[in-house]
Amino acid sequence: MLLISLFIATLFLAYSNGANDNFQGVATLFGSRTSSYQTVILWATFTTFAGAVTATFLASTLIKNFSGKGLVPDAIANTPQFHIAVASAAGLTVLIAALMGFPISTTHSLTGAIVGAGLVAIGLKVNFAALGTSFILPLLLSPIIAILLGAGIYSLSSYINSKWHLPVNQKMIDNCHFISAGIISFARGLNDTPKIVSLILIIEYFSIQGGMITIAIAMALGGLINSQKVAVTMSTKITSMNHTQGLSANIVTGFLVIAASRFGLPVSTTYVSVGSIFGVGLIGKKTNMRVCYQILLSWILTLPTAAIISGITYRLLQGYKI
């Protein structure tokens, strides 16, 4: 019964991840009026699924990181009770945010859920040193780097254009924009799928390949059905943007997320994407600071919310046998 519950909880997390995160790679396409919502969400779904399938071969490091091993003893990290608590808490946190229109981090939610269940299981013996170096630092640094790079690349493109008055081929810009959005969605599937699939690999019936495909399908459904409110926030509320700004933000996001996946760093696609959009908005002086403060508050609340829900869930599950 616990293994069935774990499977359902993990699918719920994958669905929630899709609802909150699937639109992030294509937000600039919709925000710059390059394409319609229906077109960009289908493009996001296809490229995210492709990234998830590719993750089968390239992202084994993240599978290990998000199984909980290294933060808590293997005897606890390998139990279905621990994984159910983590999956259900992270999934609920992410879905609530999606329904409210806040783009939060599934990575951050998973980290909080692992810590919450770990604290209930072993108290302060949780490996906080590993938590800081492998999880917290990449999460904190990634949006700052994205803001700086987003502002820098858009400033550079504006300077080059004003200096040399290069002719603008709008069709070429739009094509590059679509490609960059696809790369981000591909990178998100590559980076997020291993984090989620790590939770169900204790079920002996699942291979890594089978788990990846199952999670990818659930993520796709979440994005198709429940991504509208996050889409509006990311595309129009943070800042208004033109085609060049959207392309600049996407280049930054794609580069950072792919680099993180390659080196096994659990950066948040959400933080990177929001940071790069915020960066180009700052240069254009059109950033909506009120919305940005609300998003920042939702980020701050993500970890403790997931930790509390996970801790309570794990306590309730203690004593249940497979």
Side-chain angles (χ1 to χ4, degrees):
M1 186 65 186
L2 280 177
L3 294 180
I4 295 174
S5 299
L6 172 58
F7 177 67
I8 294 172
T10 306
L11 288 183
F12 171 65
L13 171 59
Y15 179 93
S16 301
N17 172 271
N20 199 289
D21 292 12
N22 266 19
F23 202 82
Q24 289 161 13
V26 297
T28 57
L29 283 174
F30 185 49
S32 61
R33 303 296 186 269
T34 301
S35 191
S36 66
Y37 175 84
Q38 290 79 8
T39 299
V40 297
I41 192 61
L42 288 174
W43 180 233
T45 301
F46 172 77
T47 49
T48 299
F49 189 86
V53 173
T54 306
T56 305
F57 309 101
L58 299 180
S60 59
T61 303
L62 285 175
I63 292 178
K64 179 182 177 181
N65 284 348
F66 280 86
S67 66
K69 295 179 180 179
L71 291 177
V72 297
D74 288 358
I76 295 172
N78 288 329
T79 63
Q81 292 92 333
F82 184 85
H83 286 234
I84 291 171
V86 170
S88 58
L92 186 59
T93 302
V94 172
L95 185 61
I96 290 173
L99 295 176
M100 296 177 67
F102 292 121
I104 68 168
S105 166
T106 302
T107 306
H108 209 171
S109 299
L110 277 167
T111 302
I114 290 170
V115 171
L119 286 173
V120 171
I122 59 173
L124 296 178
K125 294 179 182 179
V126 171
N127 189 348
F128 288 104
L131 179 68
T133 56
S134 299
F135 292 84
I136 302 300
L137 275 179
L139 288 173
L140 292 179
L141 291 177
S142 56
I144 297 173
I145 294 172
I147 290 172
L148 295 175
L149 288 179
I153 286 182
Y154 179 59
S155 297
L156 179 63
S157 65
S158 298
Y159 173 78
I160 292 173
N161 186 51
S162 64
K163 189 75 173 178
W164 285 285
H165 302 288
L166 299 176
V168 176
N169 186 325
Q170 193 59 53
K171 184 176 182 180
M172 183 179 72
I173 290 177
D174 289 346
N175 288 338
C176 290
H177 199 170
F178 256 96
I179 293 170
S180 68
I183 290 173
I184 293 171
S185 296
F186 178 90
R188 197 192 73 73
L190 187 70
N191 196 268
D192 281 5
T193 309
K195 304 169 190 174
I196 300 174
V197 81
S198 65
L199 298 172
I200 58 172
L201 290 183
I202 63 170
I203 302 176
E204 61 182 14
Y205 306 108
F206 273 100
S207 63
I208 292 179
Q209 292 80 7
M212 291 284 190
I213 298 300
T214 304
I215 296 305
I217 292 171
M219 287 167 58
L221 289 174
L224 289 171
I225 297 172
N226 274 123
S227 65
Q228 293 89 343
K229 289 192 175 181
V230 170
V232 172
T233 299
M234 299 247 348
S235 301
T236 62
K237 290 187 176 181
I238 296 175
T239 183
S240 58
M241 67 186 90
N242 58 36
H243 299 271
T244 306
Q245 287 174 315
L247 178 58
S248 299
N250 277 13
I251 291 172
V252 171
T253 302
F255 170 77
L256 288 178
V257 174
I258 289 175
S261 297
R262 176 65 183 84
F263 293 104
L265 297 175
V267 304
S268 165
T269 310
T270 306
Y271 290 3
V272 172
S273 181
V274 171
S276 60
I277 292 173
F278 179 80
V280 299
L282 280 178
I283 300 302
K285 298 180 180 179
K286 296 180 180 179
T287 302
N288 187 334
M289 294 305 298
R290 180 173 175 271
V291 171
C292 292
Y293 287 138
Q294 291 175 343
I295 293 174
L296 180 60
L297 178 61
S298 71
W299 289 0
I300 293 171
L301 293 175
T302 296
L303 195 148
T305 301
I308 291 170
I309 297 173
S310 179
I312 293 172
T313 304
Y314 184 75
R315 175 64 73 189
L316 292 174
L317 291 172
Q318 282 181 321
Y320 280 87
K321 306 297 181 181
I322 300 177

